[in-house]
Amino acid sequence: MEHDLTSEFEEDFPLFIEAGFVAVKQLDETSATRIFNAAQKLKPESTAPQIGLGYIALNKLEVKEASRIFEAVLEKEPENHLAQTFLGMCFLLTKPKRKKGEKLIQDAMNKTDDETIKNLGSISLEWAEKDLSKMQKSPFFEAQKKTDEE
């Protein structure tokens, strides 16, 4: 009878997820991707590895890919507030979807009791208000707008 090696490591699943996020933080995309893919093999039904892969894409500012991943997670788990917050962040980076992103983040913050998600949402909204709104008003963009209008 063939022995299933994955069952030996199932209890380590949370460590794989944690290690994947640590690798992202250390800017080691290759290791992070491999770790999240290994975690997905251990628990194919879990969305945690997908969130990790979406987080990699978001960190690389691959907004379309990150959005696609987070939307797929939300299709499977509509109450996944972390995926909802990350999707909101993707939308913040997409000017026509910015308001929708703010609403998604605010909605996730209102529905969750998880302080980490509340803090992430709060920081994201603060960043959008301070930095993203400034981008539209900076002298560079004003000069660019005048050039475009001429």
Side-chain angles (χ1 to χ4, degrees):
M1 189 168 127
E2 193 177 305
H3 178 65
D4 181 17
L5 282 176
T6 57
S7 61
E8 281 183 42
F9 297 101
E10 255 179 43
E11 67 187 37
D12 296 326
F13 179 79
L15 295 175
F16 276 85
I17 299 302
E18 186 69 27
F21 280 102
V22 168
V24 174
K25 195 171 184 176
Q26 293 176 340
L27 305 178
D28 186 352
E29 178 188 351
T30 303
S31 295
T33 302
R34 288 177 179 162
I35 292 167
F36 288 132
N37 285 330
Q40 194 74 76
K41 293 268 189 261
L42 283 178
K43 285 195 175 182
E45 74 285 355
S46 176
T47 57
Q50 289 302 302
I51 290 174
L53 293 169
Y55 186 66
I56 292 169
L58 183 57
N59 273 274
K60 292 169 60 183
L61 295 178
E62 293 175 352
V63 179
K64 281 184 183 172
E65 176 64 7
S67 296
R68 184 192 65 73
I69 293 169
F70 297 131
E71 285 170 342
V73 169
L74 287 168
E75 239 174 68
K76 193 174 175 184
E77 295 177 3
E79 294 301 308
N80 189 316
H81 300 121
L82 182 58
Q84 184 176 340
T85 302
F86 281 143
L87 180 60
M89 291 169 68
C90 291
F91 288 174
L92 290 178
L93 293 166
T94 311
K95 198 173 177 184
K97 295 182 179 177
R98 197 165 291 158
K99 287 283 177 225
K100 186 177 179 182
E102 289 172 6
K103 186 179 177 340
L104 271 176
I105 293 168
Q106 197 61 59
D107 186 47
M109 289 169 62
N110 292 339
K111 287 181 179 176
T112 189
D113 293 326
D114 186 328
E115 285 303 313
T116 304
I117 294 171
K118 286 181 184 278
N119 288 337
L120 177 63
S122 177
I123 289 167
S124 300
L125 292 174
E126 193 177 305
W127 166 71
E129 189 180 313
K130 282 183 182 175
D131 296 328
L132 292 178
S133 61
K134 271 186 201 166
M135 285 172 64
Q136 299 162 356
K137 298 172 189 158
S138 75
F140 172 79
F141 287 102
E142 284 303 312
Q144 189 66 40
K145 200 159 81 175
K146 285 177 188 163
T147 307
D148 292 344
E149 289 170 359
E150 291 171 356

